[in-house]
Amino acid sequence: MDTAEINKIQLGSPISDVEKSWDEQLQQLTHFQASDSDVIIATPPKCGTTWLKALAFSTLYRNQFAGDENLLLTFNPHQLVRHLEYNVYLNDPCPDLDDICVYKPRFFATHVPYVSSPTSIKNSDWVPFTEDEEKQGVVEEIAKFCSFEKLKELEVNKKGLHVSGIPYKVFFRNGEVGEWSNYVTPSMVERMEKLIQEKLENTSLAFM
C-alpha cells in the first residue's frame, strides 16, 4: 500500500460518535473473526498504546519497511494500526478487513480487555524474531527507531488529527515523571485520591 492508498482509508468520525458504552464496544466486535496469523494489541487507554503500536508495527513488518522505508516516517502509528472499535467497526458492522489491512499478517488494536475479547482474538499468534535477526541487531535497530524521542520529533506526529479529533501531538508528551502536575491542580489530585480510596476501601487493593 502506498501513501495515496493509506490516505484513502479514512475510517471513523468525530469524537461525539465514539463515546459509546462498554457493551456497545463489545457488541461491535461480535462479527470479528481473527485469522490464525493476526496480531492484536489489547491495551487500556493512556498506557502507551501509541508507542506500542510503533514498536509492534516496525517489528511485524520489518522485512517490508526497514530503515528509511519505515512508514512511521510519514504516518502516525494510529493511521497504520487501526482500532477495531474506534475505526474498523465504528460505522460498518461487516467491513472488508483485508481491504483495510492489506499487509500480512493483519494487524489491529483494541481497548477491549483481553479477557473480554472474542475467542478468535485470544487464539491469535505473535511473530517472533529469528536468531539471525537478533545477531544482526534488528531488535536494537527497531527499539532505537521507535524511541519516544525519535517518534516525538517526526513531523507527521506534530500535525494532523486522530479519528477522535485529538491532535496527534497530544499522544507524545514530555514523558517525564511528575509531568501530571502541569495539567492537574492540587484540588483535583485531592479529589481523585479520595475517590480512589473510596472505591478500593472494600477490596484487597491498597492505594499508595
Side-chain angles (χ1 to χ4, degrees), residues 16 22 40-41 45 52 76 90 101 114 117 119-120 130 144 148 154 173 185-186:
S16 59
W22 194 247
I40 313 291
I41 290 181
L52 182 57
N76 181 272
L90 185 62
C101 190
Y114 176 78
S117 299
T119 302
S120 62
T130 65
K144 183 178 180 180
F148 186 85
L154 291 178
R173 295 185 290 181
T185 65

Side-chain angles (χ1 to χ4, degrees), residues 179-192:
E179 188 191 6
W180 58 267
S181 60
N182 296 324
Y183 303 91
V184 184
T185 65
S187 61
M188 292 170 67
V189 173
E190 182 179 356
R191 181 179 179 185
M192 286 190 291

Side-chain angles (χ1 to χ4, degrees), residues 1-59:
M1 181 185 292
D2 58 21
T3 300
E5 289 176 302
I6 294 178
N7 282 327
K8 190 167 54 178
I9 302 178
Q10 295 297 328
L11 304 175
S13 55
I15 191 168
S16 59
D17 290 338
V18 298
E19 295 176 348
K20 295 179 178 291
S21 69
W22 194 247
D23 288 340
E24 288 177 311
Q25 291 186 30
L26 291 176
Q27 185 63 33
Q28 286 178 309
L29 302 186
T30 300
H31 302 291
F32 179 74
Q33 182 62 45
S35 298
D36 290 338
S37 60
D38 281 353
V39 175
I40 313 291
I41 290 181
T43 62
K46 306 307 297 178
C47 74
T49 302
T50 306
W51 192 12
L52 182 57
K53 281 185 175 183
L55 283 166
F57 181 89
S58 296
T59 298

Side-chain angles (χ1 to χ4, degrees), residues 37 46 66 73 99 104 121 160 163 194:
S37 60
K46 306 307 297 178
L73 292 170
D99 185 51
K104 299 296 181 289
I121 288 183
V163 64
K194 182 179 180 180

